[in-house]
Amino acid sequence: MMRLSNLTLRNLLIAVHDALATTLAVFASFYLRFEGDAFFERLPLMLRILPYFVAFSVVVSYVFNLTTTKWRFISLPDALNIVRVATVLTLALLVMDYIFVAPIISGALPAVNLQTPFFLGKITIILYWFLEIFFLSALRFAYRYFRYSRTRYHARSEGASPALLIGRAADAEVLLRGIESGAVKHLWPVGVLSPSPADRGQSIRNIPVQGGIEDFEDVIADFARRNKPIARLVMTPSAFEPDARPESVLMRARRLGLIVSRLPSLESGETPRLTNVAVEDLLLRPSENIDYARLERLVKSKAVIVTGGGGSIGSEICERVATFGAARLLVIENSEPALYSVIEGLAARRTDAVIEGRIADIRDRERILRLMSEFKPDIVFHAAALKHVPILERDWSEGVKTNIFGSINVADAALAAGAEAMVMISTDKAIEPVSMLGLTKRFAEMYCQALDHDLASKPGSKPRMRLISVRFGNVLASNGSVVPKFKAQIEAGGPVTVTHPDMVRYFMTIREACDLVITAATHALAPQRPDVSVYVLNMGQPVKIVDLAERMIRLSGLQPGHDIEIVFTGMRPGERLNEILFATQEPTVDIGVAGIMAAKPNEPAMQTLRKWIAALEQAITRDDRASIRAVLKDAIPEFGSSDLSEPAVTLSPS
């Protein structure tokens, strides 16, 4: 209530200021246009008209957001709004003078001796337009400059580190605005290095572009000679493009003892912030352009459930769903610490979503059915799964229980609760699977496809529920991924263990993967209801694992084979050298969405699937491995490498 009252008082004071500005503009334009008796002849009528016009001006200012804009952040859009307000008020004066006031002067007030039939005249109105802009702008921009100067003064007086910014002008400008507004603290930019030749020799918000990225060491040395040593380096998103050679910049900066930070990619509404440069930042391919408005239209005001919400993918989906405006979010997780962590993280973001976390195992069918029935979700994102390849090769029955029967439980519960869609997070290992992870995920995909097909074949006026699966490969910095394991091995002094010198994998960021997962859901729920239920994310170019290990060692300031050894441990059960994105007998579909393709596998009939499911249930109950093997081989004939035994497993990172 106090915040609301303060906001109302501030807006009221701004409205009073704008009313005074309009009054001054009217009087000043009259005074400049008319002199002596002509001014005083018009004064009584002007005083009768002025209160109504001033009241109208306050309404116009409110409509164009002048009374609700914080002066501290006034910028070009606000200046344009001031011009719009002045233009609307000028047109209103013109209409009033020529249509309403002129007849009064000529008819009702014949005693007023005027040389023209108009009260204001064109010259007065033109003068008013310029003066209105001046009076509305002057105090606003004076306050903006005051805050800008004070922020710069505090930044320099509070021991801010002299910093060199690396990246294109547009990226550097975002960071400079963040420093001026106080969002980024303890940083004093002294120059910019840009990869774009068009930026050379220019200034960005009074900060000079000192040269190109290749001039890095020369610029550092020049500042040192002038007794203005640079202590910090800030890399903007454009500094991580391949042409900018980010690895070289980072290695040289570390050799010079500079602190290196980065400005992450910004989305609309986010505050600029600096983070440490991680090795993952240097492995990124150019990200796809995400249509965030499209994602917001899907999620906004919806009730969403995320299973496995405490994992790497699940927690990021929770964060994205809350960011895009979900009304309610239920996080289902069977790990208490993971559930607590994700709920605390979401609460810290202070979104408008009502967030609830529940401990539950997707293998508990009755529990999942009851939770979804009570929550009544619009969309369900199913990220819960067992995913570690070597562990599932040993404990394969647990993979069947979680990845197959757990997914069936979630799909059936979502349907029973009346959800619009269920999105299952799958894996590229489900394509012509050679591991238990890929096999169980492929079976879960088949169930979702068959159920989606059955619902499509049933007539009804209500839009049917969609069930889709989204496949992608490895995500950087996820739990159990190779990058954090290599990092830990390097910090421990080595060796770095790689399974095979020719092994390659696809990588993408968790943020991009989750945004594309939600994008796939928007396509599946489009009005035309496309006939595809499996989506595959574009993972870019594969990365050779041994090359990745060598790059990480070098970026740590060490030499592969000299300071840190690389040891090849041999391929583990369920692994293959090269991941594939589409099966041989799986036609692809271009859906016209950047970063996503669709696959159209021929799923078996639901009746056949239910026979396999019933046989699996009986075999799991009896722990009959031969029967389980027979059912899975029958369901997925292309599965070939694993013998469903219990081989010795070496849990070293690959």
Side-chain angles (χ1 to χ4, degrees):
M1 184 64 69
M2 183 176 294
R3 289 182 62 192
L4 180 61
S5 62
N6 291 339
L7 179 65
T8 304
L9 177 61
R10 183 169 64 246
N11 292 349
L12 181 60
L13 291 174
I14 295 175
V16 171
H17 165 270
D18 291 350
L20 290 174
T22 299
T23 303
L24 287 173
V26 171
F27 270 103
S29 59
F30 258 66
Y31 183 79
L32 292 174
R33 173 65 180 88
F34 302 106
E35 297 179 3
D37 294 339
F39 175 77
F40 290 104
E41 287 175 354
R42 286 168 167 78
L43 188 59
L45 182 56
M46 183 184 70
L47 293 176
R48 289 172 55 187
I49 297 171
L50 188 60
Y52 301 101
F53 182 72
V54 170
F56 174 71
S57 73
V58 172
V59 173
V60 173
S61 295
Y62 176 80
V63 169
F64 285 96
N65 299 321
L66 288 193
T67 60
T68 56
T69 300
K70 291 194 72 170
W71 289 12
R72 177 183 175 184
F73 303 111
I74 191 167
S75 58
L76 181 59
D78 304 302
L80 292 176
N81 281 339
I82 289 174
V83 173
R84 293 187 182 104
V85 168
T87 302
V88 170
L89 294 178
T90 300
L91 292 175
L93 278 181
L94 188 66
V95 171
M96 181 183 68
D97 192 35
Y98 279 67
I99 297 178
F100 297 106
V101 180
I104 295 176
I105 293 175
S106 59
L109 297 173
V112 179
N113 183 21
L114 301 178
Q115 298 177 351
T116 66
F118 302 109
F119 180 61
L120 300 173
K122 289 183 285 188
I123 296 177
T124 306
I125 292 174
I126 292 172
L127 285 172
Y128 166 79
W129 185 80
F130 286 103
L131 291 170
E132 180 74 11
I133 292 175
F134 173 76
F135 286 121
L136 287 175
S137 305
L139 198 56
R140 283 178 164 88
F141 283 99
Y143 182 78
R144 174 74 175 89
Y145 182 76
F146 165 73
R147 292 301 298 261
Y148 164 75
S149 301
R150 193 174 71 167
T151 301
R152 288 172 62 89
Y153 172 77
H154 285 306
R156 300 195 70 169
S157 63
E158 293 175 359
S161 302
L164 193 63
L165 312 185
I166 296 186
R168 292 196 184 94
D171 288 349
E173 199 263 350
V174 171
L175 179 56
L176 292 173
R177 281 185 176 274
I179 295 171
E180 292 171 8
S181 68
V184 178
K185 302 180 183 297
H186 309 300
L187 192 70
W188 183 252
V190 296
V192 178
L193 297 181
S194 172
S196 173
D199 296 337
R200 314 283 169 82
Q202 308 295 311
S203 292
I204 307 166
R205 305 189 74 81
N206 290 328
I207 304 299
V209 178
Q210 303 282 354
I213 296 179
E214 65 277 4
D215 302 318
F216 170 71
E217 291 183 281
D218 292 338
V219 172
I220 296 291
D222 181 59
F223 275 93
R225 282 193 298 269
R226 290 185 281 160
N227 293 322
K228 298 178 180 179
I230 292 174
R232 195 165 179 180
L233 194 71
V234 180
M235 303 176 71
T236 65
S238 55
F240 290 94
E241 295 175 356
D243 293 343
R245 301 178 62 195
E247 291 185 37
S248 174
V249 172
L250 184 59
M251 291 175 68
R252 286 186 288 171
R254 287 180 174 173
R255 187 171 64 248
L256 293 171
L258 300 179
I259 299 172
V260 185
S261 304
R262 68 183 289 261
L263 176 72
S265 298
L266 291 177
E267 299 172 15
S268 177
E270 288 193 357
T271 302
R273 57 186 176 84
L274 297 182
T275 62
N276 295 328
V277 176
V279 174
E280 299 92 297
D281 300 322
L282 306 175
L283 305 176
L284 303 183
R285 59 185 178 79
S287 298
E288 299 290 348
N289 292 323
I290 307 295
D291 184 354
Y292 292 109
R294 176 176 182 165
L295 306 192
E296 186 174 346
R297 287 194 296 271
L298 172 74
V299 173
K300 193 171 183 63
S301 302
K302 297 289 183 66
V304 180
I305 287 179
V306 180
T307 70
S312 303
I313 299 296
S315 60
E316 183 67 23
I317 290 179
C318 289
E319 190 272 333
R320 303 309 283 156
V321 164
T323 298
F324 295 136
R328 297 185 295 133
L329 172 62
L330 175 62
V331 184
I332 295 178
E333 173 59 55
N334 71 344
S335 166
E336 183 185 30
L339 179 63
Y340 176 80
S341 177
V342 69
I343 293 298
E344 287 294 296
L346 291 170
R349 293 187 63 86
R350 298 179 181 177
T351 63
D352 294 332
V354 178
I355 300 169
E356 183 180 359
R358 303 298 292 272
I359 295 178
D361 192 330
I362 60 172
R363 289 150 61 153
D364 186 342
R365 184 176 178 85
E366 295 304 318
R367 170 78 167 155
I368 295 299
L369 283 168
R370 185 166 59 253
L371 281 177
M372 290 205 187
S373 175
E374 294 172 354
F375 189 79
K376 300 190 182 306
D378 297 303
I379 304 173
V380 176
F381 290 96
H382 175 41
L386 297 178
K387 303 167 186 172
H388 200 285
V389 170
I391 291 178
L392 287 186
E393 290 303 302
R394 179 181 60 198
D395 296 322
W396 51 267
S397 59
E398 296 303 304
V400 172
K401 293 175 186 176
T402 299
N403 295 353
I404 294 180
F405 290 113
S407 298
I408 292 171
N409 293 340
V410 172
D412 292 348
L415 178 61
E420 297 175 13
M422 172 191 153
V423 182
M424 187 183 81
I425 306 300
S426 188
T427 171
D428 54 359
K429 294 175 175 61
I431 307 162
E432 298 180 357
V434 297
S435 64
M436 283 304 301
L437 170 60
L439 176 68
T440 53
K441 280 293 190 178
R442 180 71 190 100
F443 197 104
E445 282 185 7
M446 289 162 51
Y447 183 83
C448 291
Q449 294 161 30
L451 185 55
D452 187 70
H453 182 271
D454 276 10
L455 294 174
S457 62
K458 294 179 180 178
S461 57
K462 184 179 179 180
R464 65 183 176 93
M465 173 182 166
R466 289 303 318 272
L467 293 97
I468 66 170
S469 303
V470 183
R471 298 174 183 162
F472 53 91
N474 301 278
V475 290
L476 292 168
S478 65
N479 295 334
S481 72
V482 70
V483 171
K485 290 182 179 180
F486 282 174
K487 192 182 299 182
Q489 289 177 332
I490 293 169
E491 290 174 355
V496 172
T497 55
V498 178
T499 56
H500 195 282
D502 296 325
M503 182 167 286
V504 296
R505 290 291 182 266
Y506 293 95
F507 289 96
M508 71 191 314
T509 66
I510 296 178
R511 171 67 59 89
E512 183 183 11
C514 293
D515 284 347
L516 288 174
V517 165
I518 303 174
T519 301
T522 68
H523 182 267
L525 288 171
Q528 66 271 21
R529 298 274 166 163
D531 185 27
V532 291
S533 57
V534 175
Y535 294 84
V536 182
L537 303 189
N538 175 17
M539 301 291 295
Q541 296 298 317
V543 177
K544 204 170 184 179
I545 299 299
V546 67
D547 292 344
L548 171 62
E550 291 176 351
R551 290 174 69 185
M552 291 184 64
I553 292 171
R554 290 193 184 96
L555 289 169
S556 300
L558 305 171
Q559 287 297 319
H562 183 266
D563 301 305
I564 299 288
E565 294 293 330
I566 296 178
V567 177
F568 296 103
T569 59
M571 290 179 61
R572 300 168 299 183
E575 288 186 328
R576 55 187 171 198
L577 288 178
N578 300 282
E579 299 290 2
I580 55 178
L581 297 180
F582 293 95
T584 306
Q585 303 299 324
E586 196 172 54
T588 62
V589 180
D590 186 355
I591 62 174
V593 178
I596 305 176
M597 293 287 288
K600 293 190 69 174
N602 298 316
E603 77 282 348
M606 179 59 80
Q607 185 177 3
T608 305
L609 271 171
R610 293 205 182 279
K611 291 180 180 178
W612 288 329
I613 292 168
L616 279 175
E617 286 179 327
Q618 295 176 5
I620 287 289
T621 301
R622 301 192 307 268
D623 196 22
D624 185 350
R625 304 186 180 191
S627 296
I628 294 176
R629 173 185 178 127
V631 172
L632 295 178
K633 281 281 192 180
D634 188 26
I636 306 168
E638 62 268 29
F639 174 67
S641 73
S642 177
D643 60 1
L644 301 183
S645 62
E646 292 185 353
V649 177
T650 303
L651 298 180
S652 59
S654 62

